Amino acid sequence: MKAAVIGASGYIGTAVAERLTGAGYEVVAVSRRETVADYPTVPGDLTRPETLRSALAAVRPDVVVHAGNPSGDLDVDLASAAALVDHGVPLIYISGIWWLGAVGETPFTEDPPRGDTPRAQIERAVLAAAGRVRTVVIRPGVVYGRGGGIPAEMVGWARKYGVGRYVGDPGTRWPTVQVDDLADLVLLAIERARSGAVLHGVSDEAVEVSAIAAAADLAAGGTGRAEAWPVASAAEELGEQYARWLALDQAISSTRTRAELGWRPSRPAIVDLTSGSYVRR
């Protein structure tokens, strides 16, 4: 089986490509970069949908995994999704959870996309093709592990300010997933998911960000203190949109995903930042 991975050099894509390789897949990276380490690479740019068509025609994969970031131009992103769907092989589209907004106290389940946000429209376009090609949408929680992701930023804030920091209110919660557990889910989606499935890559439904910030402070060599970072103040350093995303209170369920695919995330929880990849050596 040959898998074309878009975003194979990125944080999530790297783990996915390694997991697929370990499972016996021949991974080919589709990238704007000339080469992606360890994988044959063909040129393909998410901002130029015609290059994706050319790349897939050259690679002739058995499955496509889209682990890249949206371009920010909805028309272009929809055209890119169409180019991938039109190739006619299964497509695993890795989306996200922030676009769902503040979902309330009850954990949000694996429901079809709603509303007209750009991500919702992209998901809807991918799923609309499920009758003619197998398409699957995966929504990861906040991804951690391998010393990367948002937790790495939080460790950096703790080192910079001398205390763990989190954006928003103390009760703000994040759904989380370790990056290798997420890669396991991608493999299961390729091999078992039904066409049109919406899956949630979430190992812990709702972790308080104050606890994550305290663990980040410990990882940075502190005593485990954490303080709130007002959204307006954080926006000055991080940008308004990103700060507002970080302040989102979300609880996201993966019960249906686990039942359908037998996914069993097993890596340490995100609050275990005090050992391993996030600790200063």
Side-chain angles (χ1 to χ4, degrees):
M1 291 279 286
K2 183 184 292 184
V5 178
I6 300 168
S9 62
Y11 180 44
I12 293 173
T14 295
V16 168
E18 290 180 6
R19 183 68 183 90
L20 297 185
T21 299
Y25 285 74
E26 177 187 352
V27 171
V28 179
V30 178
S31 176
R32 289 181 297 179
R33 299 169 56 178
E34 290 186 3
T35 59
V36 174
D38 301 324
Y39 304 103
T41 307
V42 294
D45 187 339
L46 287 170
T47 66
R48 299 169 58 206
E50 70 278 4
T51 67
L52 300 178
R53 295 182 185 275
S54 298
L56 297 185
V59 173
R60 300 178 65 184
D62 299 292
V63 63
V64 177
V65 178
H66 184 341
N69 293 319
S71 71
D73 183 319
L74 178 59
D75 289 338
V76 170
D77 292 331
L78 290 173
S80 292
L84 301 178
V85 165
D86 288 347
H87 188 65
V89 301
L91 169 64
I92 311 299
Y93 175 67
I94 300 178
S95 182
I97 45 93
W98 276 344
W99 75 264
L100 297 171
V103 297
E105 290 294 321
T106 302
F108 187 83
T109 57
E110 296 91 329
D111 296 330
R114 61 191 185 190
D116 291 319
T117 65
R119 280 279 194 171
Q121 293 186 57
I122 298 168
E123 283 192 13
R124 196 174 292 118
V126 169
L127 295 171
R132 57 190 175 91
V133 62
R134 190 162 68 93
T135 59
V136 178
V137 167
I138 297 178
R139 298 173 183 150
V142 173
V143 186
Y144 67 94
R146 300 192 180 202
I150 295 172
E153 294 184 57
M154 297 178 76
V155 173
W157 300 339
R159 289 172 180 155
K160 179 177 180 180
Y161 296 105
V163 62
R165 279 191 164 192
Y166 55 91
V167 181
D169 300 323
T172 296
R173 302 160 301 162
W174 289 349
T176 62
V177 65
Q178 203 273 351
V179 68
D180 293 293
D181 282 328
L182 177 59
D184 289 345
L185 177 58
V186 172
L187 177 60
L188 286 171
I190 292 172
E191 298 186 340
R192 301 184 189 176
R194 58 183 170 80
S195 187
V198 175
L199 307 175
H200 282 174
V202 171
S203 53
D204 288 293
E205 293 185 349
V207 183
E208 290 191 354
V209 291
S210 57
I212 301 172
D217 186 54
L218 289 170
T223 58
R225 295 187 303 134
E227 66 178 20
W229 193 1
V231 175
S233 177
E236 294 177 2
E237 181 174 331
L238 307 175
E240 183 175 354
Q241 183 63 75
Y242 188 39
R244 291 189 180 280
W245 280 337
L246 292 172
L248 273 178
D249 177 48
Q250 292 185 314
I252 305 290
S253 170
S254 62
T255 300
R256 192 183 306 163
T257 297
R258 298 182 193 221
E260 287 187 9
L261 299 186
W263 180 52
R264 298 291 181 267
S266 60
R267 276 72 174 189
I270 192 171
V271 292
D272 188 20
L273 295 173
T274 54
S275 62
S277 58
Y278 291 96
V279 178
R280 173 178 284 171
R281 299 301 182 184

